[in-house]
């Protein structure tokens, strides 16, 4: 995994897909509408996408519902070359609190976050297997605060477990994160200031108090 360029790998795969007649299907985990904006703009050119919104790390139901509504609105309003649909996963924050046990005081990007990546990616991989999509992926690699290497390691491990191809990515490359900011402004998207979990919010509040 050392020194891999995930963006180049994706570009190579897309070049091969463009030469084929069939448009492949993709189960895409989305953490929020702002992060998905650029990813959907980019990948809907080459895939038929099922966006799965599954984020039990979000601690408050009001926050969860708001982000889900924004995801739905974005998909309804953005133009796409190929179809994009939405699957709303079950909201069960107890699943997140269970995997976070013993890691409550970890800093962001630490082991707690790695478990959270796995929780959401495994749900996506299972669903991709169940629905028979050609690939699964996640928008998580768009964020500068997320470790793309770790996310891709988990994705490729789950790909073997569920016998479903994983689309490795680093969506922040090619100014992907910058483009997501532009699209967020264009569609007037709600942009949260923390990942959604109570521990991330606590860390954010401590920094603001300094």
């Amino acid at each position: 995994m050392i020194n891999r360029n995930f963006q180049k790998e994706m570009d190579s795969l897309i070049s091969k897909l463009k030469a084929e007649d069939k448009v492949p299907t993709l189960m895409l985990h989305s953490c929020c509408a702002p992060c998905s904006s650029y990813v959907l703009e980019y990948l809907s050119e080459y895939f038929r996408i099922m966006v799965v919104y599954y984020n039990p790390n979000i601690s408050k139901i009001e926050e969860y519902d708001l982000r889900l509504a924004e995801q739905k609105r974005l998909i309804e309003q953005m133009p796409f070359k190929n179809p994009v649909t939405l699957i709303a996963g079950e909201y069960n924050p107890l699943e997140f609190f269970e995997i976070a046990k013993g890691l409550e005081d970890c800093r962001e990007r630490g082991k707690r976050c790695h478990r959270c990546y796995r929780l959401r990616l495994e749900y996506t991989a299972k669903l991709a297997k169940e629905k028979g999509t050609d690939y699964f992926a996640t928008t998580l690699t768009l964020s500068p605060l997320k470790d793309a290497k770790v996310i891709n390691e988990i994705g490729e491990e789950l790909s073997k477990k569920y016998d479903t191809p994983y689309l490795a990515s680093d969506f922040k490359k090619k100014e992907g994160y910058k483009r997501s900011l532009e699209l967020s402004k264009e569609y007037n998207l709600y942009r949260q200031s923390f990942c959604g979990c109570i521990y991330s919010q606590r860390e954010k509040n401590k920094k603001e108090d300094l």
Side-chain angles (χ1 to χ4, degrees), residues 126-159:
K126 286 180 181 178
L127 195 56
K129 180 68 174 179
E130 177 187 317
K131 300 289 186 182
T133 58
D134 297 305
Y135 298 89
F136 74 98
T138 179
T139 63
L140 287 169
T141 64
L142 179 93
S143 172
L145 299 177
K146 302 290 188 294
D147 191 328
K149 180 177 180 292
V150 171
I151 292 167
N152 286 310
E153 286 176 346
I154 293 169
E156 292 181 338
E157 179 186 329
L158 293 171
S159 174

Side-chain angles (χ1 to χ4, degrees), residues 73-89:
R73 181 172 69 85
L74 178 68
I75 291 172
E76 290 173 346
Q77 293 182 359
M78 276 190 81
F80 301 115
K81 179 179 178 179
N82 293 299
V84 175
T85 56
L86 175 64
I87 299 173

Side-chain angles (χ1 to χ4, degrees), residues 58-69:
I58 299 174
S59 301
K60 295 182 179 180
I61 185 64
E62 297 84 3
E63 180 76 12
Y64 182 89
D65 287 344
L66 175 57
R67 296 190 195 192
L68 177 56

Side-chain angles (χ1 to χ4, degrees), residues 10 23 32 60-61 68 70 78 97 110 112 133 137 143 157 165 169 176 178 183 201 209:
M10 180 179 287
V23 178
C32 62
K60 295 182 179 180
I61 185 64
L68 177 56
E70 287 292 86
M78 276 190 81
F97 288 123
R112 186 187 65 244
T133 58
S143 172
E157 179 186 329
S169 66
K178 179 182 177 182
L183 288 167
Q201 186 174 33
D209 291 340

Side-chain angles (χ1 to χ4, degrees), residues 30-186:
S30 173
C31 54
C32 62
C35 285
S36 73
S37 60
Y38 164 72
V39 178
L40 290 174
E41 180 183 65
Y42 175 34
L43 292 184
S44 64
E45 287 286 312
Y46 316 106
F47 296 90
R48 289 181 289 127
I49 301 174
M50 294 181 207
V51 174
V52 55
Y53 182 84
Y54 171 72
N55 299 291
N57 57 303
I58 299 174
S59 301
K60 295 182 179 180
I61 185 64
E62 297 84 3
E63 180 76 12
Y64 182 89
D65 287 344
L66 175 57
R67 296 190 195 192
L68 177 56
E70 287 292 86
Q71 182 70 76
K72 182 179 180 181
R73 181 172 69 85
L74 178 68
I75 291 172
E76 290 173 346
Q77 293 182 359
M78 276 190 81
F80 301 115
K81 179 179 178 179
N82 293 299
V84 175
T85 56
L86 175 64
I87 299 173
E90 182 182 356
Y91 176 58
N92 185 359
L94 292 178
E95 293 180 329
F96 169 73
F97 288 123
E98 185 64 30
I99 61 98
K101 280 183 179 178
L103 300 171
E104 293 86 351
D105 295 326
C106 281
R107 286 186 171 275
E108 197 156 353
R109 291 175 65 102
K111 289 183 179 180
R112 186 187 65 244
C113 291
H114 297 176
R115 286 189 184 180
C116 185
Y117 303 156
R118 179 178 295 277
L119 177 65
R120 292 184 278 175
L121 270 168
E122 184 144 19
Y123 184 94
T124 307
K126 286 180 181 178
L127 195 56
K129 180 68 174 179
E130 177 187 317
K131 300 289 186 182
T133 58
D134 297 305
Y135 298 89
F136 74 98
T138 179
T139 63
L140 287 169
T141 64
L142 179 93
S143 172
L145 299 177
K146 302 290 188 294
D147 191 328
K149 180 177 180 292
V150 171
I151 292 167
N152 286 310
E153 286 176 346
I154 293 169
E156 292 181 338
E157 179 186 329
L158 293 171
S159 174
K160 294 176 183 177
K161 181 177 179 179
Y162 292 97
D163 192 28
T164 300
Y166 170 71
L167 187 67
S169 66
D170 193 352
F171 291 118
K172 69 181 72 67
K173 301 291 187 181
K174 289 187 166 181
E175 298 194 323
Y177 180 69
K178 179 182 177 182
R179 179 58 179 157
S180 77
L181 297 178
E182 294 170 351
L183 288 167
S184 294
K185 185 176 181 180
E186 179 180 341

